[in-house]
Amino acid sequence: MPSDSIAGFLDEAKAKRVLFPDQVEQLIRHPDAPQSDLSALCAYLLERSVLTRFQADAILERRANDLIFGSYPIVDEIGPCPGGTAYRALHPSLRTPVVLRKFRGDAFAPYESATDVVSRARAYGMLAHPNLLSILDAGEYQGTAYVVLDH
């Protein structure tokens, strides 16, 4: 976060889609919301389940870039998965929950590249079966291969 101020936090939270404009408006108008202490505001938002612990920690530790990947707002870290890490995220426009899997660059080396992983994910995405999760998106962002799955 560029600043410890509430205004700086709110601007950054909107830009990273951690909070949506309507949520920010409600915060500004709510008389109980802390107006001068960022830590107190994070605690207030955690109490009301507006932020997750992952998001609050990232804000307080100045890791705002951990809160968005491509256009997907990150809600929480699920944990390690084969080749990378899985996150709970939100669909950028629908705000529905999705699972975002980011793959480490070395996860498939030396035999496959990020492009190969994305191509395979796109082919898998054409399969429809009740026992398979639907792939909603796959691609590369800043050199990192990712797949977005239905929650």
Side-chain angles (χ1 to χ4, degrees), residues 13-32:
K14 280 194 295 188
K16 299 289 185 194
R17 296 189 200 151
V18 173
L19 297 175
F20 293 93
D22 55 327
Q23 291 175 308
V24 172
E25 285 300 317
Q26 287 176 350
L27 273 175
I28 291 170
R29 289 192 208 133
H30 203 279
D32 293 344

Side-chain angles (χ1 to χ4, degrees), residues 1-2 8-20 38 42 45 50-77 87-90 92 100 102 141:
M1 293 290 153
F9 159 73
L10 294 175
D11 288 343
E12 189 76 12
K14 280 194 295 188
K16 299 289 185 194
R17 296 189 200 151
V18 173
L19 297 175
F20 293 93
L38 185 56
C42 282
L45 295 174
V50 175
L51 292 181
T52 64
R53 170 58 56 196
F54 176 83
Q55 291 170 319
D57 288 346
I59 290 163
L60 294 172
E61 295 168 9
R62 296 186 164 10
R63 294 183 291 110
N65 290 334
D66 290 353
L67 297 175
I68 193 159
F69 183 79
S71 59
Y72 292 93
I74 305 290
V75 175
D76 206 355
E77 183 175 321
Y87 299 89
R88 283 189 316 121
L90 295 176
L100 171 70
K102 292 177 10 180
Y141 177 71

Side-chain angles (χ1 to χ4, degrees), residues 3-145:
S3 120
D4 286 331
S5 74
I6 299 291
F9 159 73
L10 294 175
D11 288 343
E12 189 76 12
K14 280 194 295 188
K16 299 289 185 194
R17 296 189 200 151
V18 173
L19 297 175
F20 293 93
D22 55 327
Q23 291 175 308
V24 172
E25 285 300 317
Q26 287 176 350
L27 273 175
I28 291 170
R29 289 192 208 133
H30 203 279
D32 293 344
Q35 300 294 320
S36 60
D37 179 13
L38 185 56
S39 295
L41 179 61
C42 282
Y44 175 85
L45 295 174
L46 267 169
E47 249 176 52
R48 285 154 182 77
S49 300
V50 175
L51 292 181
T52 64
R53 170 58 56 196
F54 176 83
Q55 291 170 319
D57 288 346
I59 290 163
L60 294 172
E61 295 168 9
R62 296 186 164 10
R63 294 183 291 110
N65 290 334
D66 290 353
L67 297 175
I68 193 159
F69 183 79
S71 59
Y72 292 93
I74 305 290
V75 175
D76 206 355
E77 183 175 321
I78 295 171
C81 64
T85 306
Y87 299 89
R88 283 189 316 121
L90 295 176
H91 187 281
S93 60
L94 302 175
R95 297 187 194 180
T96 55
V98 297
V99 174
L100 171 70
R101 290 183 60 183
K102 292 177 10 180
F103 297 101
R104 291 185 319 273
D106 65 343
F108 305 102
Y111 303 108
E112 291 186 300
S113 67
T115 305
D116 297 329
V117 173
V118 171
S119 294
R120 192 166 351 126
R122 287 184 178 144
Y124 171 85
M126 290 188 269
L127 299 174
H129 191 279
N131 294 331
L132 297 176
L133 289 174
S134 299
I135 291 183
L136 304 174
D137 191 11
E140 282 185 70
Y141 177 71
Q142 296 179 341
T144 301

